[in-house]
Amino acid sequence: MSYVEDLAPRVGSLPPRAAFASTAWSLSLNGDWKFRLSPTIDAPEPGAVDLDDSDWATLPVPSSWPMHGHGKPSYTNVKYPFPVDPPHVPDENPTGDHRLTFDLPGDRPVGRTVLRFDGVDSHARVWLNGTELGWSTGSRLPVEYEVGHLLRAGANVLAVRVHQWSAASYLEDQDMWWLPGIFRDVTLLHRPDGGLTDFFVHADFEPSESDHTVGTGLLRIDTDVPARLSVPELGITDHPAGEPVDIGCVTGWTAEQPRLYAATLATDTEQVAIRIGFRTVSIVDGVLLVNGRRILLRGVNRHEFHPDLGRVVPEETLRAELLLMKRCHVNAIRTSHYPPDSRMLALADELGFWVVDECDLETHGFGVDGWRRNPSDDPQWTDAYLDRMRRMVERDKNHPSIILWSLGNESGIGVNHGAMAQWTRHRDPSRPIHYEGDHACRYVDVYSRMYASHAEVDAIGRHAEPRHPDADDALDARRRGMPFVLCEYGHAMGNGPGGLLEYRELFERHPRCQGGFIWEWLDHGIRSHTADGREYFRYGGDFGEELHDGNFIVDGLVFPDRTPSPGLVEFAKIIEPVRVGFAGTAPGSRTVRLHSMYDHATLAGAVLRWRVAVDGEQLGAGETPVPPIPAGGSVELALTDLPAPTGAGECWLTVSVESGTDTAWAAAGHVLGDGQTQLAPAHRPVLVAPVAPRAGEVIELGAGRFDPTDGVLRGLGDLSLSGPRLDVWRAPIDNDKPYRADWSAAGLHRMHHRTAEVRATAAGLLVRTRVAAASRDRGLAVQYRWTAHDDLLRVVVSVIPEGEWPFPLPRLGLRLALPAALARVTWFGGGPGEAYADSRQAARIDRFSATVDELQTPYVFPQENGNRTAVRWATLLDDAGHGLRVEGAPTVELTARRWTSERLAAARHTVDLVADDAIHLNLDHAQHGLGSGSCGPAVLPRYELRAEPVTFEVRLRAI
């Protein structure tokens, strides 16, 4: 058996320890290395000092070598891309040999020196100056070797052989691109005599009764050698590190107020700068508390990925990413499904996030065959499991942001999880243990689920969930007494997710239900370009993989370039920290109710800004200071002397609560919450009497011209157009998965229109049609009643379903085609971004403008997008100001694009969408909701678009 099939996790390396920087000498070995890729492990070994590598390629380290043209990326979600025969791996095992020749400075201190690798995927064998140091697995975990005795003055040769596949690959099936390489830092670290090897910060917090943000701190730092602790802010100087210190008063660390105290650990030969956050995690009466208060996790699952670099995430990208999370009110990160770069945890400490640190473990592929031979319950793999947990806990134990340890993800359940949990509780009893796969909650402290429906979450909140079949009475009672967390929910694949508001309501209703983590933060698309330079992003199957899971890899709240998607905008609104409400109806005044959703922090120094507008035209604006609001508290502010509504349009009061000072993550003026209320409705003018139609080669009705054969509108004034006709189809979104088969079988994408009657009446034009698919007897009887009122054309559409419709419709409305020049869109209604029935909390009523191109959302996998909701009126104009005005009665849903829904549905990448010679406009009575059905629950019943008799109205006017 080959050494890559050895179940041992590593050979020759040092014990795991905390990650830290110190005043000791160090040397980064990042940079350009020599590189050779071989198809198997049988290539000549790279470790000899005198090996001729002059014809090798050059590869940056850190890197994922397929991202630099060496081999290709591949993506699978669950299935292993090799036969499942543990611990064996294929003969075809891409092997990357890396070599670096580096010089040591003459003033380098001699003695103990450690060679550290922070991340190598997946099996790394290491030589220094011709001597083999050992090998390691555990891709997202550090490994260190003692090398001081091997270093030379002058040139040194470091060689690393990286195998893509090893026995450890069975433990790393984590729903992401398979990308081998040395993808994190490589560093030489001098370890001076008497210097620190490891330390463990214990900084507990007991809040005061009057103010939970301050209290008593108890500090102790365990060290492996005698050391002195200094915390200048707390008056601590050269205190023996291992002795506890009772600190009179400190500010507690929370995700909302991440108060860190700068400290120094010192020996005679080394100083280590650390940042201490005082906080206590506990579970009391089945509720997860931090510093004595219930927390609500408004979180995301975060993978580490870059569209150009793969596993390598530059520090500036990492910081920008977490700043964006903070600005969107995200307060928690689950490190799915492995420990992140240490710099991410340092940023989480600094900026403020609750972190679930997850072990580098997933064996999901065994589930394909009923979990046969799953390593989780095989004692032969116990050391490998424990090693991964030890290395994570030891590296990350000093971060106050980490509040839960997670045993991994989707690995079934077995004795090895029990061993991991037992070791972790002994090593660090201060943090509870999480693992979703422990459905009976045998080893964990938190009840965790993925994609539980709203009804299930409600039952769990009421302690009414069903018993798990593997649980006895004691285990069942234990689980019911645990906090509940949705470690994954709200599947953000493509357009969506929907239904987040209803989840939030459940989290706030049931103390046990403490929020969760959206799946996921980032689309993992790989940036690519067409031959003519157009950018797009590739996903599974685009690299010729034998097995792949397609675009399931692009399922995030931000696009691959980290541009926010509409899903993130909606999530940010759902979890905003200040809730805005209104009271009162007296003219010229309103009472604004502000409720703080913070768990710990007092809202202070904020400003309320208000604006009154009629049909989007501002009448007045102002601001008023917001008094301090304690966490969970409320305040009412009276706005008086608001301007009186004028004209016939809708009058709206819009308020926003904005930060009054700069923070580490946003400048002053950052919106913390907003809301609207209508001060006066619109007064629609009474329509003049309808005019009679005039028959001829075309039927003329006011400014409209109709085809006498099918009754379709062909022109309006000087404007040529085609339609409108009933439309029930949308390009399926990823979250339409529960409905797609029914829609396809019903032929909703290929509906035919049969004209039953075209008849002029004294009042206008009556057109009756039947809309149905070939080979199906179900259909929709449609009646259009057209009337003309001066230059206004009005259509009242009545729809009656015929036959059985056991499934919802994608959409119900009108589709028409306009000249391509009508590309400037202005509307009064919901905006500025797209919104749908169950994802519209972020939309506000106002006047907005955009081009047709700007209305599109460039989902990596093209699908229905760009709907503007609750539109009262809209204009589509050319550059000269000519075009079309549409009006709802009272509203329509509006979508405009340069391609049909059919072409949108046929596209596989954004570059497949090529503009044609028309603007395709949908004016919908309604669309089906979004839901989370690509992986989670389908659309809630209240947002389903059922085939039922309905009548709606649209008005058209040429400009």
Tab-separated table of all heavy atoms in Angstrom, residues 64-92:
chain	number	residue	atom	x	y	z
A	64	SER	N	-3.243	27.693	-5.811
A	64	SER	CA	-3.904	26.453	-6.206
A	64	SER	C	-3.472	26.192	-7.636
A	64	SER	O	-3.803	26.976	-8.535
A	64	SER	CB	-5.431	26.599	-6.122
A	64	SER	OG	-5.862	26.853	-4.815
A	65	TRP	N	-2.712	25.118	-7.877
A	65	TRP	CA	-2.050	25.019	-9.174
A	65	TRP	C	-3.004	24.927	-10.370
A	65	TRP	O	-2.655	25.447	-11.430
A	65	TRP	CB	-0.991	23.919	-9.163
A	65	TRP	CG	-1.428	22.494	-9.187
A	65	TRP	CD1	-2.161	21.860	-10.133
A	65	TRP	CD2	-1.087	21.473	-8.222
A	65	TRP	NE1	-2.309	20.523	-9.847
A	65	TRP	CE2	-1.656	20.254	-8.678
A	65	TRP	CE3	-0.348	21.458	-7.053
A	65	TRP	CZ2	-1.515	19.052	-7.983
A	65	TRP	CZ3	-0.210	20.272	-6.370
A	65	TRP	CH2	-0.791	19.081	-6.819
A	66	PRO	N	-4.238	24.370	-10.258
A	66	PRO	CA	-5.098	24.396	-11.452
A	66	PRO	C	-5.500	25.813	-11.880
A	66	PRO	O	-5.863	26.022	-13.045
A	66	PRO	CB	-6.325	23.593	-11.011
A	66	PRO	CG	-5.826	22.707	-9.916
A	66	PRO	CD	-4.831	23.550	-9.191
A	67	MET	N	-5.441	26.775	-10.962
A	67	MET	CA	-5.796	28.145	-11.313
A	67	MET	C	-4.687	28.834	-12.096
A	67	MET	O	-4.853	29.974	-12.549
A	67	MET	CB	-6.108	28.945	-10.044
A	67	MET	CG	-7.221	28.353	-9.191
A	67	MET	SD	-8.807	28.249	-10.035
A	67	MET	CE	-9.243	29.970	-10.166
A	68	HIS	N	-3.564	28.143	-12.261
A	68	HIS	CA	-2.431	28.705	-13.007
A	68	HIS	C	-2.102	27.854	-14.233
A	68	HIS	O	-0.965	27.873	-14.718
A	68	HIS	CB	-1.219	28.829	-12.082
A	68	HIS	CG	-1.417	29.795	-10.958
A	68	HIS	ND1	-1.034	31.121	-11.029
A	68	HIS	CD2	-2.016	29.629	-9.735
A	68	HIS	CE1	-1.363	31.738	-9.897
A	68	HIS	NE2	-1.951	30.848	-9.105
A	69	GLY	N	-3.099	27.122	-14.692
A	69	GLY	CA	-2.933	26.397	-15.945
A	69	GLY	C	-2.338	25.013	-15.816
A	69	GLY	O	-2.019	24.387	-16.833
A	70	HIS	N	-2.156	24.514	-14.605
A	70	HIS	CA	-1.598	23.176	-14.396
A	70	HIS	C	-2.741	22.240	-13.993
A	70	HIS	O	-3.184	22.239	-12.843
A	70	HIS	CB	-0.515	23.203	-13.322
A	70	HIS	CG	0.595	24.167	-13.613
A	70	HIS	ND1	1.586	23.900	-14.528
A	70	HIS	CD2	0.843	25.416	-13.140
A	70	HIS	CE1	2.426	24.923	-14.582
A	70	HIS	NE2	1.993	25.859	-13.743
A	71	GLY	N	-3.226	21.450	-14.941
A	71	GLY	CA	-4.413	20.664	-14.683
A	71	GLY	C	-5.651	21.551	-14.688
A	71	GLY	O	-5.608	22.722	-15.080
A	72	LYS	N	-6.772	20.991	-14.231
A	72	LYS	CA	-8.039	21.716	-14.278
A	72	LYS	C	-8.782	21.583	-12.956
A	72	LYS	O	-8.691	20.560	-12.282
A	72	LYS	CB	-8.922	21.167	-15.404
A	72	LYS	CG	-8.361	21.388	-16.803
A	72	LYS	CD	-9.294	20.803	-17.858
A	72	LYS	CE	-8.747	21.035	-19.258
A	72	LYS	NZ	-9.665	20.456	-20.291
A	73	PRO	N	-9.544	22.618	-12.608
A	73	PRO	CA	-10.413	22.488	-11.441
A	73	PRO	C	-11.506	21.461	-11.707
A	73	PRO	O	-11.843	21.177	-12.863
A	73	PRO	CB	-11.025	23.891	-11.281
A	73	PRO	CG	-10.230	24.783	-12.174
A	73	PRO	CD	-9.667	23.927	-13.257
A	74	SER	N	-12.062	20.904	-10.655
A	74	SER	CA	-13.238	20.043	-10.783
A	74	SER	C	-14.120	20.274	-9.572
A	74	SER	O	-13.637	20.597	-8.487
A	74	SER	CB	-12.853	18.568	-10.903
A	74	SER	OG	-12.270	18.100	-9.698
A	75	TYR	N	-15.440	20.109	-9.785
A	75	TYR	CA	-16.379	20.364	-8.702
A	75	TYR	C	-17.356	19.217	-8.538
A	75	TYR	O	-18.006	18.789	-9.502
A	75	TYR	CB	-17.182	21.653	-8.956
A	75	TYR	CG	-18.386	21.753	-8.042
A	75	TYR	CD1	-18.214	21.837	-6.655
A	75	TYR	CD2	-19.682	21.716	-8.541
A	75	TYR	CE1	-19.308	21.882	-5.803
A	75	TYR	CE2	-20.781	21.765	-7.687
A	75	TYR	CZ	-20.589	21.851	-6.327
A	75	TYR	OH	-21.668	21.889	-5.481
A	76	THR	N	-17.440	18.719	-7.322
A	76	THR	CA	-18.544	17.848	-6.923
A	76	THR	C	-19.057	18.335	-5.578
A	76	THR	O	-18.292	18.861	-4.763
A	76	THR	CB	-18.123	16.370	-6.804
A	76	THR	OG1	-17.060	16.246	-5.844
A	76	THR	CG2	-17.672	15.817	-8.148
A	77	ASN	N	-20.336	18.133	-5.371
A	77	ASN	CA	-20.950	18.516	-4.103
A	77	ASN	C	-20.822	17.379	-3.095
A	77	ASN	O	-20.260	17.549	-2.019
A	77	ASN	CB	-22.419	18.880	-4.343
A	77	ASN	CG	-23.200	19.042	-3.055
A	77	ASN	OD1	-22.638	19.331	-2.004
A	77	ASN	ND2	-24.500	18.846	-3.111
A	78	VAL	N	-21.333	16.212	-3.433
A	78	VAL	CA	-21.353	15.076	-2.518
A	78	VAL	C	-20.457	13.945	-3.000
A	78	VAL	O	-19.650	13.399	-2.242
A	78	VAL	CB	-22.798	14.554	-2.341
A	78	VAL	CG1	-22.821	13.305	-1.474
A	78	VAL	CG2	-23.694	15.638	-1.747
A	79	LYS	N	-20.569	13.599	-4.263
A	79	LYS	CA	-19.879	12.422	-4.780
A	79	LYS	C	-18.372	12.620	-4.814
A	79	LYS	O	-17.872	13.660	-5.223
A	79	LYS	CB	-20.378	12.112	-6.190
A	79	LYS	CG	-21.867	11.821	-6.273
A	79	LYS	CD	-22.319	11.689	-7.716
A	79	LYS	CE	-23.821	11.482	-7.816
A	79	LYS	NZ	-24.298	11.454	-9.209
A	80	TYR	N	-17.658	11.584	-4.368
A	80	TYR	CA	-16.208	11.595	-4.535
A	80	TYR	C	-15.877	11.431	-6.013
A	80	TYR	O	-16.496	10.604	-6.706
A	80	TYR	CB	-15.569	10.450	-3.750
A	80	TYR	CG	-15.626	10.603	-2.250
A	80	TYR	CD1	-16.495	9.836	-1.489
A	80	TYR	CD2	-14.799	11.506	-1.598
A	80	TYR	CE1	-16.551	9.958	-0.103
A	80	TYR	CE2	-14.840	11.638	-0.209
A	80	TYR	CZ	-15.716	10.874	0.524
A	80	TYR	OH	-15.764	11.009	1.894
A	81	PRO	N	-14.897	12.162	-6.513
A	81	PRO	CA	-14.528	12.019	-7.930
A	81	PRO	C	-13.566	10.869	-8.174
A	81	PRO	O	-12.796	10.885	-9.136
A	81	PRO	CB	-13.885	13.374	-8.252
A	81	PRO	CG	-13.295	13.815	-6.966
A	81	PRO	CD	-14.193	13.289	-5.871
A	82	PHE	N	-13.593	9.871	-7.295
A	82	PHE	CA	-12.778	8.668	-7.436
A	82	PHE	C	-13.556	7.521	-6.801
A	82	PHE	O	-14.492	7.754	-6.008
A	82	PHE	CB	-11.404	8.844	-6.763
A	82	PHE	CG	-11.453	9.431	-5.382
A	82	PHE	CD1	-11.790	8.660	-4.271
A	82	PHE	CD2	-11.163	10.769	-5.181
A	82	PHE	CE1	-11.836	9.194	-3.004
A	82	PHE	CE2	-11.214	11.326	-3.907
A	82	PHE	CZ	-11.551	10.546	-2.812
A	83	PRO	N	-13.219	6.276	-7.118
A	83	PRO	CA	-13.952	5.146	-6.518
A	83	PRO	C	-13.876	5.175	-4.998
A	83	PRO	O	-12.831	5.487	-4.408
A	83	PRO	CB	-13.234	3.918	-7.096
A	83	PRO	CG	-12.628	4.402	-8.375
A	83	PRO	CD	-12.212	5.823	-8.112
A	84	VAL	N	-14.983	4.831	-4.351
A	84	VAL	CA	-15.049	4.857	-2.886
A	84	VAL	C	-14.560	3.507	-2.375
A	84	VAL	O	-15.302	2.528	-2.301
A	84	VAL	CB	-16.480	5.157	-2.410
A	84	VAL	CG1	-16.544	5.172	-0.886
A	84	VAL	CG2	-16.943	6.498	-2.967
A	85	ASP	N	-13.280	3.483	-2.011
A	85	ASP	CA	-12.624	2.241	-1.579
A	85	ASP	C	-11.560	2.605	-0.561
A	85	ASP	O	-10.365	2.458	-0.809
A	85	ASP	CB	-12.005	1.540	-2.801
A	85	ASP	CG	-11.394	0.196	-2.447
A	85	ASP	OD1	-11.781	-0.389	-1.412
A	85	ASP	OD2	-10.516	-0.264	-3.205
A	86	PRO	N	-11.985	3.128	0.598
A	86	PRO	CA	-11.002	3.649	1.549
A	86	PRO	C	-10.091	2.553	2.070
A	86	PRO	O	-10.539	1.425	2.283
A	86	PRO	CB	-11.894	4.219	2.661
A	86	PRO	CG	-13.183	3.449	2.578
A	86	PRO	CD	-13.366	3.182	1.104
A	87	PRO	N	-8.805	2.862	2.256
A	87	PRO	CA	-8.168	4.168	2.092
A	87	PRO	C	-7.525	4.367	0.714
A	87	PRO	O	-6.700	5.268	0.554
A	87	PRO	CB	-7.087	4.125	3.171
A	87	PRO	CG	-6.647	2.682	3.150
A	87	PRO	CD	-7.905	1.883	2.905
A	88	HIS	N	-7.898	3.560	-0.259
A	88	HIS	CA	-7.206	3.565	-1.537
A	88	HIS	C	-7.626	4.755	-2.389
A	88	HIS	O	-8.761	5.240	-2.317
A	88	HIS	CB	-7.462	2.259	-2.277
A	88	HIS	CG	-7.102	1.040	-1.470
A	88	HIS	ND1	-5.817	0.780	-1.062
A	88	HIS	CD2	-7.869	0.028	-0.981
A	88	HIS	CE1	-5.788	-0.347	-0.367
A	88	HIS	NE2	-7.031	-0.820	-0.301
A	89	VAL	N	-6.681	5.194	-3.226
A	89	VAL	CA	-6.921	6.316	-4.135
A	89	VAL	C	-6.483	5.907	-5.532
A	89	VAL	O	-5.768	4.908	-5.709
A	89	VAL	CB	-6.156	7.576	-3.667
A	89	VAL	CG1	-6.662	8.027	-2.306
A	89	VAL	CG2	-4.649	7.330	-3.618
A	90	PRO	N	-6.891	6.625	-6.548
A	90	PRO	CA	-6.588	6.210	-7.925
A	90	PRO	C	-5.093	6.269	-8.246
A	90	PRO	O	-4.324	7.016	-7.638
A	90	PRO	CB	-7.363	7.236	-8.770
A	90	PRO	CG	-8.339	7.881	-7.851
A	90	PRO	CD	-7.736	7.831	-6.497
A	91	ASP	N	-4.713	5.459	-9.248
A	91	ASP	CA	-3.350	5.574	-9.782
A	91	ASP	C	-3.150	6.953	-10.394
A	91	ASP	O	-2.055	7.524	-10.326
A	91	ASP	CB	-3.106	4.508	-10.849
A	91	ASP	CG	-3.120	3.101	-10.272
A	91	ASP	OD1	-2.911	2.957	-9.042
A	91	ASP	OD2	-3.352	2.154	-11.046
A	92	GLU	N	-4.213	7.478	-11.027
A	92	GLU	CA	-4.145	8.825	-11.603
A	92	GLU	C	-4.267	9.822	-10.455
A	92	GLU	O	-5.356	10.208	-10.046
A	92	GLU	CB	-5.262	9.054	-12.619
A	92	GLU	CG	-5.255	8.092	-13.788
A	92	GLU	CD	-5.873	6.741	-13.461
A	92	GLU	OE1	-6.562	6.625	-12.407
A	92	GLU	OE2	-5.654	5.793	-14.227
